[in-house]
Amino acid sequence: MSGFVITQSLYVHHSSSFAELYVGFLARRMRRLAPALLLCVAVTGVAVYLIVPVPRDSLQNGQFALFGLSNLFLYFRHIDYFTPSRDLDVFLHTWSLGVEEQFYVFLPGIFWLSGAAHGGSRLFAVVIATLGALSLIANIAFGLVDPLATFYLMPFRFWELGAGVLLFALNSQSGVRGTLGGSFTAAIALPLLIASLFVQPDKLGLVQCSVVILTTIAIGTIRSNAIVLAIFSNRVVVFVGLISYPLYLWHWSIISLSRWADLNEHGWTVPLQLALILLLSIVTYRYCERPLRHAKILMPSWRAIGVFSVSLVCFAIALGQLGHVKSLFGVRSAAVRLAEWTAQPFVPLAGSGLSFETTCVVDGDVRPLRNNTFDLCTALPQKPNEQMIWALGDSHAGHFQAMLSMLHNKTGIGVHLIETPGVAFPMLPGKLFEPRQRIAETIFQKLKPGDIVLIGRLFLSRSDNDLFEDVFDWSIELVQLAKQLRARNVDIVVVGPPPMFRFNTLLSCWSSQNDGSACLIDRTAAEKRADQAMQVLRSAAAQSDNIFIFDPFETLCPAGAMTCSPVKNGRAIYRDKDHLNSLGAEELAHPFYAFLKANSLIVPGEWK
């Protein structure tokens, strides 16, 4: 337990003043943590540059991790640790290092003020126990109100680290050592501790309490129980303990980068990943962490703090610049290589010089709904008061922007599109998103007879390609919406799912032939998965004569083909596994126009 170890450090190193205590403690922590962290962040950052097409978020998180602030970065970005997409953030795991480092800021002050620096362990234990109890109560009380806060923020985690502090404080008092254990207690603590690691994430509170309690028991019984002592003093266990910090740093970086490189699709790579993690951990410990931790040149506390502080700042600046460098030692970044092979995700907004991705994507956070967003994201008909297509939905409506733009240019029809990532339309009760609601209300005020409401959404899970459970409830809302719009002579067109691929990055699909052969999927299986959604949509259309279903599947993966590819004529038509880029969306423009014509849905003139 980290709390146990750092408290031991405070007790062992005597100081005559608080300044001496604090500076010495900070220097020891920096010697212990900074060398391996700097190495891991530097190597991982370069790997991100070479592998990850859009490295900004990971590199920013890496910058915050250098200063023990990763947990705050993730919290204020509203990033859920258990969301599958976060598996691709190579520095995600450093949130816990941030919690520990923030704990280090306060512990020496508590240690000194409670008199523990001068032998007063009892008051120190009382203070830590009190603060720990308050932290645990706050964790439970705020768990349902703000679960991200209780997961990421140090005050809600104080009780976990405090348990180790309290254990050492009690053990330091005469006669207390070993009181936690008996043979029976020790015999059940370790198996239960191991079993708790396999509890599902939705039982996270139970896992937290179990791990803290059982770990405390295990450490508290080391001296009083021969079995526990034998286990923890085993050479292999001791060695793992020595390299535990590098193991912690490297394990997630390697796993996440392997996902980016799509290596996890192949089971045979798992032993190689484990071997690489172990090798990097051993090398880091022997040739980086241990030498620098005991280097005589860094022994004066002020020098250690100065050297590592400057190093951290320099590395953070370099990491920030890495996302903007096109070539590093003659090797192009993943973003540059991908840009050379693919079309842009979106086309620019006509006549504005603005980006669709920053203007017409509303997430309620870094991309808010502004007063002029609606107008900027609406292209009026070329002839006044003629027909409009109003697109609503999540990013799977947004990726049709180039299709609508071409349709507007070729036929003169008006188009509107504001994407709300992760928020489908119509919204389900209890899952309302206020900006989307405001956009929809504005659209409904402007709707006129003959207009079309175009709806797109994510139908299939990215993890298993099965239909989302909420699609059935959503289809009921869709039918209700159609009945309301029928009275206004407005039709609804729903776009079915395109083929969904399995890659994490398009770079893994590149080959010397530029045919995407590395990422081909079986057409029959892909169509079968997509047909799950099409059946639900056909059922909804059967209940209302103003619901029409446009199926993009055959255009993107022609009938008669054995496989589906994210590449056409040597150029990628996808920007990720299930989103089209602008080139792919333009491929749908004329088929979509033909669909509208065949169903007598479009009024403007012929395709120009």
Side-chain angles (χ1 to χ4, degrees), residues 91-106:
F91 296 113
L92 179 70
H93 62 308
T94 58
W95 72 268
S96 59
L97 183 61
V99 170
E100 287 195 23
E101 292 188 12
Q102 290 154 32
F103 184 77
Y104 300 157
V105 172
F106 297 98

Side-chain angles (χ1 to χ4, degrees), residues 55 158 175 291 337 351 373 447 458 470 486 528:
F158 186 98
R337 284 179 284 144
T373 302
L447 278 175
L458 178 62
D470 74 344
R486 186 198 294 120
K528 183 178 180 181

Side-chain angles (χ1 to χ4, degrees), residues 20 47 99 196 290 344 398 403 412 479 492 557:
E20 182 183 352
V99 170
S196 67
R290 189 170 64 178
Q344 293 300 310
M403 176 188 81
V479 173
I492 293 178
C557 187

Side-chain angles (χ1 to χ4, degrees), residues 467-596:
L467 195 67
F468 279 121
E469 292 182 0
D470 74 344
V471 170
F472 295 98
D473 292 336
W474 171 85
S475 69
I476 295 173
E477 297 294 324
L478 175 66
V479 173
Q480 294 300 316
L481 175 65
K483 292 178 179 178
Q484 296 173 26
L485 296 182
R486 186 198 294 120
R488 302 177 63 178
N489 195 25
V490 173
D491 294 309
I492 293 178
V493 175
V494 185
V495 184
M500 179 179 282
F501 294 88
R502 298 190 182 93
F503 57 81
N504 286 318
T505 169
L506 270 168
L507 282 177
S508 63
C509 305
W510 185 88
S511 67
S512 57
Q513 294 80 28
N514 285 0
D515 58 1
S517 56
C519 291
L520 297 178
I521 56 174
D522 179 74
R523 187 187 192 281
T524 301
E527 187 176 33
K528 183 178 180 181
R529 287 190 288 269
D531 196 54
Q532 299 174 85
M534 292 302 296
Q535 289 181 31
V536 176
L537 295 177
R538 294 186 194 107
S539 175
Q543 300 177 56
S544 184
D545 60 8
N546 64 329
I547 296 179
F548 298 85
I549 312 302
F550 174 64
D551 187 358
F553 194 96
E554 191 164 315
T555 299
L556 300 169
C557 187
M562 299 294 292
T563 57
C564 300
S565 174
V567 175
K568 184 173 182 178
N569 299 326
R571 296 290 304 280
I573 59 174
Y574 276 69
R575 72 174 189 259
D576 56 36
K577 68 177 65 177
D578 54 281
H579 288 99
L580 300 169
N581 60 22
S582 59
L583 189 61
E586 287 177 352
E587 288 286 324
L588 296 177
H590 193 272
F592 184 62
Y593 167 77
F595 167 84
L596 296 178

Side-chain angles (χ1 to χ4, degrees), residues 66 88 96 101 145 155 190 202 294 302 358 415 439 449 470 518 570 602:
L66 288 170
L88 301 177
S96 59
E101 292 188 12
V145 178
L190 286 179
D202 59 350
H294 301 290
W302 62 268
T358 56
V415 296
I439 295 166
D470 74 344
I602 193 168

Side-chain angles (χ1 to χ4, degrees), residues 214-470:
L214 295 172
T215 303
T216 303
I217 292 173
I219 294 176
T221 58
I222 287 179
R223 298 297 180 187
S224 63
N225 188 279
I227 297 176
V228 177
L229 180 61
I231 293 173
F232 280 93
S233 60
N234 180 273
R235 292 178 61 184
V236 175
V237 175
V238 171
F239 179 72
V240 171
L242 290 173
I243 66 169
S244 60
Y245 177 54
L247 271 175
Y248 157 79
L249 290 175
W250 285 113
H251 86 282
W252 186 253
S253 295
I254 298 303
I255 292 171
S256 182
L257 288 168
S258 297
R259 287 193 174 99
W260 273 113
D262 286 312
L263 295 179
N264 286 359
E265 293 292 325
H266 311 287
W268 58 268
T269 68
V270 174
L272 296 180
Q273 293 176 46
L274 293 175
L276 181 59
I277 292 169
L278 183 60
L279 176 62
L280 287 171
S281 301
I282 294 172
V283 169
T284 300
Y285 173 72
R286 288 186 175 176
Y287 301 107
C288 178
E289 178 188 331
R290 189 170 64 178
L292 289 178
R293 187 177 182 181
H294 301 290
K296 290 184 179 179
I297 194 172
L298 296 174
M299 278 301 108
S301 295
W302 62 268
R303 187 179 295 168
I305 294 173
V307 168
F308 286 124
S309 295
V310 171
S311 299
L312 290 167
V313 171
C314 291
F315 273 62
I317 293 172
L319 205 62
Q321 293 301 310
L322 199 58
H324 304 288
V325 177
K326 294 183 177 180
S327 177
L328 186 67
F329 305 117
V331 181
R332 292 169 299 166
S333 71
V336 170
R337 284 179 284 144
L338 186 62
E340 292 174 351
W341 187 45
T342 66
Q344 293 300 310
F346 304 100
V347 297
L349 293 182
S352 66
L354 297 173
S355 165
F356 176 89
E357 193 169 10
T358 56
T359 306
C360 301
V361 179
V362 173
D363 57 15
D365 185 16
V366 295
R367 294 172 290 190
L369 178 62
R370 305 182 189 279
N371 292 334
N372 62 347
T373 302
F374 195 94
D375 292 335
L376 289 173
C377 302
T378 303
L380 295 173
Q382 293 178 6
K383 293 182 181 180
N385 299 317
E386 286 203 346
Q387 191 177 21
M388 284 283 302
I389 296 179
W390 304 92
L392 295 105
D394 58 19
S395 59
H396 289 78
H399 72 166
F400 296 125
Q401 182 246 352
M403 176 188 81
L404 294 176
S405 179
M406 179 176 284
L407 193 67
H408 170 72
N409 294 333
K410 293 291 187 179
T411 68
I413 195 169
V415 296
H416 162 91
L417 174 58
I418 298 176
E419 168 191 326
T420 49
V423 181
F425 188 86
M427 294 178 288
L428 296 175
K431 295 185 178 181
L432 300 181
F433 179 53
E434 193 269 340
R436 168 51 75 197
Q437 186 66 31
R438 286 165 54 196
I439 295 166
E441 288 172 355
T442 305
I443 289 175
F444 292 158
Q445 290 172 9
K446 295 178 178 291
L447 278 175
K448 58 185 182 297
D451 282 356
I452 297 170
V453 171
L454 178 69
I455 294 177
R457 64 156 291 167
L458 178 62
F459 292 98
L460 303 173
S461 167
R462 294 184 175 99
S463 58
D464 55 20
N465 288 176
D466 286 335
L467 195 67
F468 279 121
E469 292 182 0
D470 74 344

